Each structure stands twice: as structure tokens, then as C-alpha cells.
Amino acid sequence: MNLETIAAKMRHTLCDVSSQTKTPHLGSCLSCVDILATLYWRVLNIDPSMPNASDRDYFLLGKGHAASALYTALAYRGFFDIQALYEHGQTGSQFEEHPGINAPAGVETVSGSLGHALSLAAGMALSTKLQQKENRFYVLMGDGELNEGTVWEAAMFAAGKKLDNLVAIVDFNKLQGTGKSCDIMHLEPLEEKWRAFGWHTIRINGHDLNSLQNAFEQAKQYSQPVCIVADTIKGKGVSFMENDNNWHYRIPKADEVDMAKKELGL
């Protein structure tokens, strides 16, 4: 299956699961699907049959409200059955709205409160380097998540320790729960900020699968941490959801799921 097909299937499943389980944050999930598809099918050194292998690469989800997107990527990648996704958000389920301590195989950390994943990954990346291991660490953050000061503390730490095994990806969809990200905090010029903190910075179209693959390949070439600023669209792939911040919380109706499926060519 090519990445375009994988991404389309993931987007439809996300819409359907949201509709049937009444779980929100669909727009935030749809914006990062292409990033996740590229990571899980082209970049990460992982084996679904051995999710805790000592030589695996690590993916940490900072924007924990997009947990459904992570669960969906893991299901399609073979970590567990796709039908299990329909337990999302239900009482007693492993598939909580934000990943918790009982999260399913493949989920590396809890991520309910924003801003901590980069700090955690930086510590893990340093530990790995001290042990002379080859694991790599990838952290996906939302642009609203960059409001948190711990992100920038971690950025300084990672650069100071020359963590060339650490890649941060910013899902820069320009919207957060209560408005436009750049109106709430002064984020731009974002790539220059990361560069000033000592990171090599790459800015790309976060929905261009070739650009994503090239950026992740480039990231392996530098002797410093790398930040990929991925310009994305909230609700990407479904025209009536794109750039509409109501879909941060709205739940699609059955007919809207059908409309999305048609738009996705499935």
C-alpha cells in the first residue's frame, strides 16, 4: 500500500471512529496524518511483533489530544486490530482520549498535559547516547503546544547536549483550541526561533509526502538536534473540515463521514 492510500484510509477511519465513539479533536488528528504515515511506514525502525525491542526508534506524541491519530497509525501498522479503535474513549478502554498508563503497545508515553514530550525525549536521547546506542527519537508537537515554557527549556538542553538523535516535528496547522495560534502567542518566525536555540531547522509542506521523507532523511545528517516545521491544515483531507476550528471539538454525523469517505476516494 502506498502512503497516499494509507493516509486516506487513516483519515476515513478517524472520521468514522470519532462519529461512532463521540470523541473529539478530529481536526487536530487529520492535520498530522501524513506525518504519521511517513514516520510509521518509511522512517521508524520498529517491529509490531516486538514493540519493546531495545534497538527500536521512539515516537513520542506531544499533542496528546491527537491520540486517535496515533492509535490509528499503530493499528494500520499492525500493532493491534483495527476494530479495537472503536473502543476509543470508552470506559475501561486502553484507548483513552489522551494516552494513559494503560495505553496499548506502541505508545511510548502518556501525554495528557502539553509541553512535556520534548523534555522526556531529550532525556531519553541523552541516555541512549551515553550508552552508545543507535536509537533515534521523534517528537510530534502541536503549534499551540509551543506556548509551554518547558518546550524551550528542552530545546536549549537538547542543543547543549548535541542530541543529534533527536528530531522534533511541529504540526503547524495555525489553529489551537481557542483561536489562531499566532494571535494567541507570537510564534513566527518559527524556524528562526528553533535555529536560534541551536537546532538545525527544516520547513516543509507537512502534507507533501516526498518532502516529509526527504526531511526525515536529511535529519540524519546533522550533528545537532533537528526541528522540522511542517506547515499543515487543520482538518486536512475533508474540505468542509479544513481550517474550521469548530472541528477541534465537533463530532461528525454519519452522513458527514460518508461525505468524507467520498472526498478521500475510498
Side-chain angles (χ1 to χ4, degrees):
M1 214 183 322
N2 61 38
L3 288 184
E4 290 83 358
T5 301
I6 292 167
K9 287 179 176 291
M10 285 178 59
R11 285 191 165 97
H12 172 251
T13 297
L14 283 163
C15 292
D16 196 42
V17 168
S18 177
S19 179
Q20 294 200 37
T21 63
K22 310 304 179 190
T23 49
H25 302 304
L26 183 55
S28 300
C29 290
L30 294 175
S31 70
C32 64
V33 164
D34 299 304
I35 296 167
L36 290 173
T38 304
L39 280 167
Y40 275 91
W41 276 266
R42 296 291 186 269
V43 177
L44 296 175
N45 173 35
I46 52 170
D47 182 347
S49 69
M50 295 189 295
N52 297 317
S54 61
D55 64 344
R56 71 188 184 280
D57 290 337
Y58 289 76
F59 172 79
L60 282 75
L61 179 68
K63 46 180 281 181
H65 52 288
S68 187
L70 173 57
Y71 299 150
T72 303
L74 291 170
Y76 274 97
R77 190 66 173 79
F79 282 80
F80 43 81
D81 190 88
I82 290 171
Q83 285 303 308
L85 296 172
Y86 291 87
E87 300 169 12
H88 185 46
Q90 307 308 298
T91 302
S93 170
Q94 288 182 294
F95 303 90
E96 298 178 70
E97 287 191 27
H98 292 72
I101 60 172
N102 297 314
V107 178
E108 299 287 1
T109 182
V110 300
S111 51
S113 182
L114 297 175
H116 301 307
L118 188 63
S119 296
L120 179 57
M124 296 164 72
L126 177 59
S127 173
T128 296
K129 286 184 73 69
L130 292 173
Q131 296 174 72
Q132 298 183 333
K133 295 182 178 179
E134 300 298 323
N135 313 68
R136 293 182 62 79
F137 297 82
Y138 297 84
V139 183
L140 178 63
M141 297 180 289
D143 47 3
E145 187 173 0
L146 303 186
N147 298 355
E148 305 292 341
T150 49
V151 169
W152 301 103
E153 291 179 42
M156 287 188 285
F157 175 87
K161 301 300 182 183
K162 296 182 172 56
L163 299 181
D164 57 357
N165 55 347
L166 176 61
V167 178
I169 310 106
V170 179
D171 179 11
F172 198 9
N173 62 32
K174 319 300 187 298
L175 294 167
Q176 57 191 91
T178 56
K180 294 181 179 179
S181 302
C182 287
D183 289 344
I184 293 168
M185 293 289 271
H186 189 60
L187 292 180
E188 291 281 27
L190 192 53
E191 62 269 39
E192 282 86 346
K193 284 184 171 68
W194 283 94
R195 197 170 293 124
F197 273 73
W199 291 56
H200 180 79
T201 308
I202 304 168
R203 190 160 188 168
I204 59 167
N205 175 350
H207 301 302
D208 185 317
L209 295 165
N210 286 328
S211 294
L212 282 163
Q213 291 178 74
N214 289 337
F216 286 120
E217 193 59 36
Q218 287 178 43
K220 299 175 182 178
Q221 301 172 10
Y222 297 96
S223 57
Q224 64 192 115
V226 173
C227 178
I228 298 172
V229 178
D231 287 300
T232 59
I233 297 170
K234 198 160 188 172
K236 175 65 177 178
V238 183
S239 62
F240 57 88
M241 296 182 188
E242 291 186 356
N243 286 319
D244 182 350
N245 211 29
N246 287 315
W247 291 99
H248 193 83
Y249 299 111
R250 254 203 71 185
I251 307 298
K253 300 174 182 177
D255 62 324
E256 291 174 319
V257 175
D258 291 339
M259 292 166 60
K261 186 176 183 178
K262 290 179 182 177
E263 287 198 13
L264 292 164
L266 299 172

PDB file of all heavy atoms in Angstrom, residues 55-88:
ATOM      1  N   ASP A  55      16.392  -1.995  20.382  1.00  0.00           N
ATOM      2  CA  ASP A  55      17.026  -1.174  19.344  1.00  0.00           C
ATOM      3  C   ASP A  55      16.018  -0.352  18.550  1.00  0.00           C
ATOM      4  O   ASP A  55      16.354   0.235  17.527  1.00  0.00           O
ATOM      5  CB  ASP A  55      17.816  -2.067  18.388  1.00  0.00           C
ATOM      6  CG  ASP A  55      16.935  -3.047  17.619  1.00  0.00           C
ATOM      7  OD1 ASP A  55      15.760  -3.259  18.013  1.00  0.00           O
ATOM      8  OD2 ASP A  55      17.420  -3.623  16.613  1.00  0.00           O
ATOM      9  N   ARG A  56      14.779  -0.273  19.030  1.00  0.00           N
ATOM     10  CA  ARG A  56      13.741   0.424  18.265  1.00  0.00           C
ATOM     11  C   ARG A  56      13.952   1.940  18.288  1.00  0.00           C
ATOM     12  O   ARG A  56      14.623   2.484  19.181  1.00  0.00           O
ATOM     13  CB  ARG A  56      12.355   0.125  18.843  1.00  0.00           C
ATOM     14  CG  ARG A  56      12.050   0.778  20.204  1.00  0.00           C
ATOM     15  CD  ARG A  56      10.747   0.257  20.753  1.00  0.00           C
ATOM     16  NE  ARG A  56      10.325   0.881  22.006  1.00  0.00           N
ATOM     17  CZ  ARG A  56      10.773   0.572  23.197  1.00  0.00           C
ATOM     18  NH1 ARG A  56      11.719  -0.356  23.334  1.00  0.00           N
ATOM     19  NH2 ARG A  56      10.304   1.179  24.289  1.00  0.00           N
ATOM     20  N   ASP A  57      13.367   2.622  17.312  1.00  0.00           N
ATOM     21  CA  ASP A  57      13.232   4.066  17.374  1.00  0.00           C
ATOM     22  C   ASP A  57      11.994   4.394  18.202  1.00  0.00           C
ATOM     23  O   ASP A  57      11.059   3.588  18.299  1.00  0.00           O
ATOM     24  CB  ASP A  57      13.095   4.658  15.970  1.00  0.00           C
ATOM     25  CG  ASP A  57      14.381   4.580  15.169  1.00  0.00           C
ATOM     26  OD1 ASP A  57      15.461   4.479  15.783  1.00  0.00           O
ATOM     27  OD2 ASP A  57      14.304   4.612  13.927  1.00  0.00           O
ATOM     28  N   TYR A  58      11.979   5.588  18.767  1.00  0.00           N
ATOM     29  CA  TYR A  58      10.887   6.006  19.641  1.00  0.00           C
ATOM     30  C   TYR A  58      10.113   7.163  19.013  1.00  0.00           C
ATOM     31  O   TYR A  58      10.721   8.143  18.557  1.00  0.00           O
ATOM     32  CB  TYR A  58      11.424   6.469  20.998  1.00  0.00           C
ATOM     33  CG  TYR A  58      11.957   5.372  21.881  1.00  0.00           C
ATOM     34  CD1 TYR A  58      13.203   4.788  21.630  1.00  0.00           C
ATOM     35  CD2 TYR A  58      11.242   4.937  22.991  1.00  0.00           C
ATOM     36  CE1 TYR A  58      13.712   3.797  22.458  1.00  0.00           C
ATOM     37  CE2 TYR A  58      11.741   3.946  23.839  1.00  0.00           C
ATOM     38  CZ  TYR A  58      12.973   3.382  23.561  1.00  0.00           C
ATOM     39  OH  TYR A  58      13.479   2.395  24.385  1.00  0.00           O
ATOM     40  N   PHE A  59       8.796   7.047  19.012  1.00  0.00           N
ATOM     41  CA  PHE A  59       7.943   8.173  18.638  1.00  0.00           C
ATOM     42  C   PHE A  59       7.154   8.609  19.863  1.00  0.00           C
ATOM     43  O   PHE A  59       6.469   7.800  20.497  1.00  0.00           O
ATOM     44  CB  PHE A  59       6.963   7.792  17.518  1.00  0.00           C
ATOM     45  CG  PHE A  59       5.951   8.884  17.261  1.00  0.00           C
ATOM     46  CD1 PHE A  59       6.303   9.990  16.514  1.00  0.00           C
ATOM     47  CD2 PHE A  59       4.665   8.813  17.806  1.00  0.00           C
ATOM     48  CE1 PHE A  59       5.390  11.026  16.317  1.00  0.00           C
ATOM     49  CE2 PHE A  59       3.753   9.824  17.604  1.00  0.00           C
ATOM     50  CZ  PHE A  59       4.107  10.938  16.851  1.00  0.00           C
ATOM     51  N   LEU A  60       7.254   9.894  20.206  1.00  0.00           N
ATOM     52  CA  LEU A  60       6.524  10.443  21.345  1.00  0.00           C
ATOM     53  C   LEU A  60       5.547  11.501  20.839  1.00  0.00           C
ATOM     54  O   LEU A  60       5.939  12.420  20.108  1.00  0.00           O
ATOM     55  CB  LEU A  60       7.476  11.064  22.362  1.00  0.00           C
ATOM     56  CG  LEU A  60       8.228  10.089  23.278  1.00  0.00           C
ATOM     57  CD1 LEU A  60       9.349   9.376  22.516  1.00  0.00           C
ATOM     58  CD2 LEU A  60       8.816  10.815  24.485  1.00  0.00           C
ATOM     59  N   LEU A  61       4.297  11.347  21.230  1.00  0.00           N
ATOM     60  CA  LEU A  61       3.254  12.286  20.822  1.00  0.00           C
ATOM     61  C   LEU A  61       3.117  13.372  21.879  1.00  0.00           C
ATOM     62  O   LEU A  61       2.673  13.108  22.997  1.00  0.00           O
ATOM     63  CB  LEU A  61       1.930  11.537  20.648  1.00  0.00           C
ATOM     64  CG  LEU A  61       0.724  12.394  20.253  1.00  0.00           C
ATOM     65  CD1 LEU A  61       0.905  12.940  18.828  1.00  0.00           C
ATOM     66  CD2 LEU A  61      -0.570  11.592  20.366  1.00  0.00           C
ATOM     67  N   GLY A  62       3.525  14.592  21.536  1.00  0.00           N
ATOM     68  CA  GLY A  62       3.358  15.699  22.462  1.00  0.00           C
ATOM     69  C   GLY A  62       1.917  16.176  22.513  1.00  0.00           C
ATOM     70  O   GLY A  62       1.366  16.394  23.589  1.00  0.00           O
ATOM     71  N   LYS A  63       1.311  16.353  21.330  1.00  0.00           N
ATOM     72  CA  LYS A  63      -0.078  16.828  21.262  1.00  0.00           C
ATOM     73  C   LYS A  63      -1.012  15.646  21.556  1.00  0.00           C
ATOM     74  O   LYS A  63      -1.608  15.049  20.657  1.00  0.00           O
ATOM     75  CB  LYS A  63      -0.365  17.494  19.919  1.00  0.00           C
ATOM     76  CG  LYS A  63       0.115  16.747  18.682  1.00  0.00           C
ATOM     77  CD  LYS A  63      -0.235  17.500  17.402  1.00  0.00           C
ATOM     78  CE  LYS A  63      -1.682  17.314  17.012  1.00  0.00           C
ATOM     79  NZ  LYS A  63      -2.054  18.002  15.772  1.00  0.00           N
ATOM     80  N   GLY A  64      -1.129  15.324  22.846  1.00  0.00           N
ATOM     81  CA  GLY A  64      -1.827  14.114  23.268  1.00  0.00           C
ATOM     82  C   GLY A  64      -3.288  14.062  22.869  1.00  0.00           C
ATOM     83  O   GLY A  64      -3.881  12.983  22.786  1.00  0.00           O
ATOM     84  N   HIS A  65      -3.898  15.224  22.592  1.00  0.00           N
ATOM     85  CA  HIS A  65      -5.295  15.235  22.169  1.00  0.00           C
ATOM     86  C   HIS A  65      -5.467  14.615  20.776  1.00  0.00           C
ATOM     87  O   HIS A  65      -6.601  14.314  20.374  1.00  0.00           O
ATOM     88  CB  HIS A  65      -5.853  16.658  22.195  1.00  0.00           C
ATOM     89  CG  HIS A  65      -5.023  17.660  21.459  1.00  0.00           C
ATOM     90  ND1 HIS A  65      -3.813  18.107  21.938  1.00  0.00           N
ATOM     91  CD2 HIS A  65      -5.219  18.291  20.288  1.00  0.00           C
ATOM     92  CE1 HIS A  65      -3.300  18.984  21.088  1.00  0.00           C
ATOM     93  NE2 HIS A  65      -4.125  19.105  20.064  1.00  0.00           N
ATOM     94  N   ALA A  66      -4.372  14.402  20.063  1.00  0.00           N
ATOM     95  CA  ALA A  66      -4.423  13.724  18.768  1.00  0.00           C
ATOM     96  C   ALA A  66      -4.122  12.237  18.912  1.00  0.00           C
ATOM     97  O   ALA A  66      -3.672  11.582  17.974  1.00  0.00           O
ATOM     98  CB  ALA A  66      -3.458  14.371  17.783  1.00  0.00           C
ATOM     99  N   ALA A  67      -4.401  11.697  20.084  1.00  0.00           N
ATOM    100  CA  ALA A  67      -4.120  10.285  20.355  1.00  0.00           C
ATOM    101  C   ALA A  67      -4.788   9.367  19.351  1.00  0.00           C
ATOM    102  O   ALA A  67      -4.223   8.341  18.960  1.00  0.00           O
ATOM    103  CB  ALA A  67      -4.582   9.930  21.773  1.00  0.00           C
ATOM    104  N   SER A  68      -5.983   9.723  18.907  1.00  0.00           N
ATOM    105  CA  SER A  68      -6.695   8.866  17.954  1.00  0.00           C
ATOM    106  C   SER A  68      -5.891   8.670  16.674  1.00  0.00           C
ATOM    107  O   SER A  68      -5.906   7.586  16.079  1.00  0.00           O
ATOM    108  CB  SER A  68      -8.069   9.466  17.626  1.00  0.00           C
ATOM    109  OG  SER A  68      -8.829   8.577  16.842  1.00  0.00           O
ATOM    110  N   ALA A  69      -5.174   9.706  16.253  1.00  0.00           N
ATOM    111  CA  ALA A  69      -4.331   9.584  15.054  1.00  0.00           C
ATOM    112  C   ALA A  69      -3.194   8.599  15.288  1.00  0.00           C
ATOM    113  O   ALA A  69      -2.861   7.787  14.419  1.00  0.00           O
ATOM    114  CB  ALA A  69      -3.795  10.949  14.645  1.00  0.00           C
ATOM    115  N   LEU A  70      -2.579   8.672  16.474  1.00  0.00           N
ATOM    116  CA  LEU A  70      -1.509   7.730  16.807  1.00  0.00           C
ATOM    117  C   LEU A  70      -2.056   6.308  16.878  1.00  0.00           C
ATOM    118  O   LEU A  70      -1.460   5.383  16.317  1.00  0.00           O
ATOM    119  CB  LEU A  70      -0.856   8.120  18.131  1.00  0.00           C
ATOM    120  CG  LEU A  70       0.171   7.132  18.695  1.00  0.00           C
ATOM    121  CD1 LEU A  70       1.299   6.877  17.701  1.00  0.00           C
ATOM    122  CD2 LEU A  70       0.725   7.639  20.023  1.00  0.00           C
ATOM    123  N   TYR A  71      -3.172   6.111  17.574  1.00  0.00           N
ATOM    124  CA  TYR A  71      -3.760   4.774  17.668  1.00  0.00           C
ATOM    125  C   TYR A  71      -4.057   4.214  16.272  1.00  0.00           C
ATOM    126  O   TYR A  71      -3.838   3.026  16.001  1.00  0.00           O
ATOM    127  CB  TYR A  71      -5.066   4.811  18.461  1.00  0.00           C
ATOM    128  CG  TYR A  71      -4.972   5.281  19.891  1.00  0.00           C
ATOM    129  CD1 TYR A  71      -6.045   5.935  20.492  1.00  0.00           C
ATOM    130  CD2 TYR A  71      -3.820   5.071  20.660  1.00  0.00           C
ATOM    131  CE1 TYR A  71      -5.992   6.366  21.808  1.00  0.00           C
ATOM    132  CE2 TYR A  71      -3.753   5.503  21.976  1.00  0.00           C
ATOM    133  CZ  TYR A  71      -4.848   6.158  22.548  1.00  0.00           C
ATOM    134  OH  TYR A  71      -4.792   6.588  23.850  1.00  0.00           O
ATOM    135  N   THR A  72      -4.558   5.071  15.393  1.00  0.00           N
ATOM    136  CA  THR A  72      -4.918   4.625  14.041  1.00  0.00           C
ATOM    137  C   THR A  72      -3.683   4.222  13.251  1.00  0.00           C
ATOM    138  O   THR A  72      -3.690   3.197  12.549  1.00  0.00           O
ATOM    139  CB  THR A  72      -5.699   5.732  13.316  1.00  0.00           C
ATOM    140  OG1 THR A  72      -6.855   6.064  14.085  1.00  0.00           O
ATOM    141  CG2 THR A  72      -6.151   5.291  11.931  1.00  0.00           C
ATOM    142  N   ALA A  73      -2.611   5.005  13.366  1.00  0.00           N
ATOM    143  CA  ALA A  73      -1.361   4.634  12.693  1.00  0.00           C
ATOM    144  C   ALA A  73      -0.856   3.291  13.204  1.00  0.00           C
ATOM    145  O   ALA A  73      -0.448   2.421  12.414  1.00  0.00           O
ATOM    146  CB  ALA A  73      -0.307   5.720  12.908  1.00  0.00           C
ATOM    147  N   LEU A  74      -0.882   3.098  14.501  1.00  0.00           N
ATOM    148  CA  LEU A  74      -0.409   1.841  15.088  1.00  0.00           C
ATOM    149  C   LEU A  74      -1.267   0.662  14.639  1.00  0.00           C
ATOM    150  O   LEU A  74      -0.750  -0.424  14.344  1.00  0.00           O
ATOM    151  CB  LEU A  74      -0.418   1.941  16.618  1.00  0.00           C
ATOM    152  CG  LEU A  74       0.615   2.889  17.235  1.00  0.00           C
ATOM    153  CD1 LEU A  74       0.337   3.084  18.727  1.00  0.00           C
ATOM    154  CD2 LEU A  74       2.034   2.373  17.023  1.00  0.00           C
ATOM    155  N   ALA A  75      -2.573   0.866  14.556  1.00  0.00           N
ATOM    156  CA  ALA A  75      -3.460  -0.221  14.120  1.00  0.00           C
ATOM    157  C   ALA A  75      -3.171  -0.614  12.682  1.00  0.00           C
ATOM    158  O   ALA A  75      -3.017  -1.808  12.362  1.00  0.00           O
ATOM    159  CB  ALA A  75      -4.920   0.203  14.281  1.00  0.00           C
ATOM    160  N   TYR A  76      -3.072   0.365  11.802  1.00  0.00           N
ATOM    161  CA  TYR A  76      -2.795   0.050  10.401  1.00  0.00           C
ATOM    162  C   TYR A  76      -1.389  -0.530  10.217  1.00  0.00           C
ATOM    163  O   TYR A  76      -1.161  -1.306   9.288  1.00  0.00           O
ATOM    164  CB  TYR A  76      -2.980   1.291   9.525  1.00  0.00           C
ATOM    165  CG  TYR A  76      -4.414   1.478   9.075  1.00  0.00           C
ATOM    166  CD1 TYR A  76      -5.273   2.325   9.757  1.00  0.00           C
ATOM    167  CD2 TYR A  76      -4.923   0.789   7.984  1.00  0.00           C
ATOM    168  CE1 TYR A  76      -6.594   2.489   9.356  1.00  0.00           C
ATOM    169  CE2 TYR A  76      -6.227   0.938   7.571  1.00  0.00           C
ATOM    170  CZ  TYR A  76      -7.059   1.789   8.265  1.00  0.00           C
ATOM    171  OH  TYR A  76      -8.371   1.939   7.872  1.00  0.00           O
ATOM    172  N   ARG A  77      -0.495  -0.184  11.111  1.00  0.00           N
ATOM    173  CA  ARG A  77       0.879  -0.705  11.024  1.00  0.00           C
ATOM    174  C   ARG A  77       0.981  -2.130  11.573  1.00  0.00           C
ATOM    175  O   ARG A  77       1.997  -2.796  11.395  1.00  0.00           O
ATOM    176  CB  ARG A  77       1.808   0.239  11.788  1.00  0.00           C
ATOM    177  CG  ARG A  77       3.295  -0.030  11.608  1.00  0.00           C
ATOM    178  CD  ARG A  77       3.789   0.208  10.194  1.00  0.00           C
ATOM    179  NE  ARG A  77       5.232   0.098  10.122  1.00  0.00           N
ATOM    180  CZ  ARG A  77       5.897  -1.062  10.082  1.00  0.00           C
ATOM    181  NH1 ARG A  77       5.230  -2.214  10.123  1.00  0.00           N
ATOM    182  NH2 ARG A  77       7.215  -1.074  10.012  1.00  0.00           N
ATOM    183  N   GLY A  78      -0.078  -2.598  12.266  1.00  0.00           N
ATOM    184  CA  GLY A  78      -0.105  -3.985  12.701  1.00  0.00           C
ATOM    185  C   GLY A  78       0.146  -4.231  14.173  1.00  0.00           C
ATOM    186  O   GLY A  78       0.351  -5.371  14.583  1.00  0.00           O
ATOM    187  N   PHE A  79       0.099  -3.178  14.990  1.00  0.00           N
ATOM    188  CA  PHE A  79       0.318  -3.357  16.427  1.00  0.00           C
ATOM    189  C   PHE A  79      -0.881  -4.002  17.112  1.00  0.00           C
ATOM    190  O   PHE A  79      -0.735  -4.685  18.117  1.00  0.00           O
ATOM    191  CB  PHE A  79       0.642  -2.015  17.087  1.00  0.00           C
ATOM    192  CG  PHE A  79       2.054  -1.559  16.878  1.00  0.00           C
ATOM    193  CD1 PHE A  79       2.440  -0.944  15.694  1.00  0.00           C
ATOM    194  CD2 PHE A  79       3.014  -1.751  17.856  1.00  0.00           C
ATOM    195  CE1 PHE A  79       3.745  -0.513  15.498  1.00  0.00           C
ATOM    196  CE2 PHE A  79       4.328  -1.332  17.677  1.00  0.00           C
ATOM    197  CZ  PHE A  79       4.696  -0.716  16.488  1.00  0.00           C
ATOM    198  N   PHE A  80      -2.075  -3.768  16.583  1.00  0.00           N
ATOM    199  CA  PHE A  80      -3.286  -4.375  17.117  1.00  0.00           C
ATOM    200  C   PHE A  80      -4.373  -4.273  16.050  1.00  0.00           C
ATOM    201  O   PHE A  80      -4.186  -3.629  15.013  1.00  0.00           O
ATOM    202  CB  PHE A  80      -3.734  -3.710  18.433  1.00  0.00           C
ATOM    203  CG  PHE A  80      -3.657  -2.206  18.420  1.00  0.00           C
ATOM    204  CD1 PHE A  80      -4.647  -1.443  17.834  1.00  0.00           C
ATOM    205  CD2 PHE A  80      -2.576  -1.560  18.994  1.00  0.00           C
ATOM    206  CE1 PHE A  80      -4.572  -0.064  17.816  1.00  0.00           C
ATOM    207  CE2 PHE A  80      -2.485  -0.172  18.979  1.00  0.00           C
ATOM    208  CZ  PHE A  80      -3.492   0.571  18.390  1.00  0.00           C
ATOM    209  N   ASP A  81      -5.498  -4.929  16.300  1.00  0.00           N
ATOM    210  CA  ASP A  81      -6.571  -4.999  15.320  1.00  0.00           C
ATOM    211  C   ASP A  81      -7.250  -3.638  15.143  1.00  0.00           C
ATOM    212  O   ASP A  81      -7.504  -2.923  16.123  1.00  0.00           O
ATOM    213  CB  ASP A  81      -7.608  -6.036  15.765  1.00  0.00           C
ATOM    214  CG  ASP A  81      -8.619  -6.317  14.669  1.00  0.00           C
ATOM    215  OD1 ASP A  81      -8.364  -7.207  13.843  1.00  0.00           O
ATOM    216  OD2 ASP A  81      -9.659  -5.627  14.639  1.00  0.00           O
ATOM    217  N   ILE A  82      -7.563  -3.298  13.910  1.00  0.00           N
ATOM    218  CA  ILE A  82      -8.175  -2.004  13.616  1.00  0.00           C
ATOM    219  C   ILE A  82      -9.513  -1.843  14.325  1.00  0.00           C
ATOM    220  O   ILE A  82      -9.877  -0.751  14.778  1.00  0.00           O
ATOM    221  CB  ILE A  82      -8.321  -1.818  12.086  1.00  0.00           C
ATOM    222  CG1 ILE A  82      -6.933  -1.637  11.453  1.00  0.00           C
ATOM    223  CG2 ILE A  82      -9.220  -0.624  11.756  1.00  0.00           C
ATOM    224  CD1 ILE A  82      -6.930  -1.652   9.943  1.00  0.00           C
ATOM    225  N   GLN A  83     -10.254  -2.929  14.492  1.00  0.00           N
ATOM    226  CA  GLN A  83     -11.557  -2.829  15.150  1.00  0.00           C
ATOM    227  C   GLN A  83     -11.443  -2.369  16.603  1.00  0.00           C
ATOM    228  O   GLN A  83     -12.393  -1.828  17.173  1.00  0.00           O
ATOM    229  CB  GLN A  83     -12.283  -4.179  15.081  1.00  0.00           C
ATOM    230  CG  GLN A  83     -12.851  -4.497  13.710  1.00  0.00           C
ATOM    231  CD  GLN A  83     -13.813  -3.416  13.214  1.00  0.00           C
ATOM    232  OE1 GLN A  83     -14.751  -3.042  13.905  1.00  0.00           O
ATOM    233  NE2 GLN A  83     -13.562  -2.919  12.008  1.00  0.00           N
ATOM    234  N   ALA A  84     -10.267  -2.580  17.211  1.00  0.00           N
ATOM    235  CA  ALA A  84     -10.070  -2.143  18.599  1.00  0.00           C
ATOM    236  C   ALA A  84     -10.180  -0.630  18.720  1.00  0.00           C
ATOM    237  O   ALA A  84     -10.477  -0.105  19.813  1.00  0.00           O
ATOM    238  CB  ALA A  84      -8.713  -2.618  19.110  1.00  0.00           C
ATOM    239  N   LEU A  85      -9.974   0.097  17.618  1.00  0.00           N
ATOM    240  CA  LEU A  85     -10.058   1.555  17.656  1.00  0.00           C
ATOM    241  C   LEU A  85     -11.437   2.039  18.084  1.00  0.00           C
ATOM    242  O   LEU A  85     -11.580   3.153  18.610  1.00  0.00           O
ATOM    243  CB  LEU A  85      -9.709   2.143  16.287  1.00  0.00           C
ATOM    244  CG  LEU A  85      -8.280   1.912  15.781  1.00  0.00           C
ATOM    245  CD1 LEU A  85      -8.148   2.381  14.336  1.00  0.00           C
ATOM    246  CD2 LEU A  85      -7.265   2.626  16.667  1.00  0.00           C
ATOM    247  N   TYR A  86     -12.454   1.207  17.865  1.00  0.00           N
ATOM    248  CA  TYR A  86     -13.821   1.615  18.192  1.00  0.00           C
ATOM    249  C   TYR A  86     -14.112   1.509  19.689  1.00  0.00           C
ATOM    250  O   TYR A  86     -15.235   1.795  20.125  1.00  0.00           O
ATOM    251  CB  TYR A  86     -14.815   0.809  17.359  1.00  0.00           C
ATOM    252  CG  TYR A  86     -14.743   1.205  15.902  1.00  0.00           C
ATOM    253  CD1 TYR A  86     -13.832   0.596  15.035  1.00  0.00           C
ATOM    254  CD2 TYR A  86     -15.519   2.244  15.398  1.00  0.00           C
ATOM    255  CE1 TYR A  86     -13.725   0.988  13.709  1.00  0.00           C
ATOM    256  CE2 TYR A  86     -15.419   2.647  14.077  1.00  0.00           C
ATOM    257  CZ  TYR A  86     -14.510   2.013  13.239  1.00  0.00           C
ATOM    258  OH  TYR A  86     -14.405   2.419  11.929  1.00  0.00           O
ATOM    259  N   GLU A  87     -13.095   1.167  20.464  1.00  0.00           N
ATOM    260  CA  GLU A  87     -13.182   1.247  21.928  1.00  0.00           C
ATOM    261  C   GLU A  87     -12.702   2.610  22.420  1.00  0.00           C
ATOM    262  O   GLU A  87     -12.713   2.873  23.630  1.00  0.00           O
ATOM    263  CB  GLU A  87     -12.314   0.159  22.563  1.00  0.00           C
ATOM    264  CG  GLU A  87     -12.693  -1.260  22.176  1.00  0.00           C
ATOM    265  CD  GLU A  87     -11.646  -2.271  22.620  1.00  0.00           C
ATOM    266  OE1 GLU A  87     -10.749  -1.904  23.412  1.00  0.00           O
ATOM    267  OE2 GLU A  87     -11.706  -3.433  22.164  1.00  0.00           O
ATOM    268  N   HIS A  88     -12.290   3.478  21.486  1.00  0.00           N
ATOM    269  CA  HIS A  88     -11.673   4.756  21.836  1.00  0.00           C
ATOM    270  C   HIS A  88     -12.572   5.578  22.764  1.00  0.00           C
ATOM    271  O   HIS A  88     -13.744   5.805  22.485  1.00  0.00           O
ATOM    272  CB  HIS A  88     -11.393   5.545  20.556  1.00  0.00           C
ATOM    273  CG  HIS A  88     -10.644   6.825  20.784  1.00  0.00           C
ATOM    274  ND1 HIS A  88      -9.540   6.915  21.596  1.00  0.00           N
ATOM    275  CD2 HIS A  88     -10.834   8.077  20.293  1.00  0.00           C
ATOM    276  CE1 HIS A  88      -9.079   8.155  21.588  1.00  0.00           C
ATOM    277  NE2 HIS A  88      -9.855   8.869  20.818  1.00  0.00           N
TER     278      HIS A  88
END
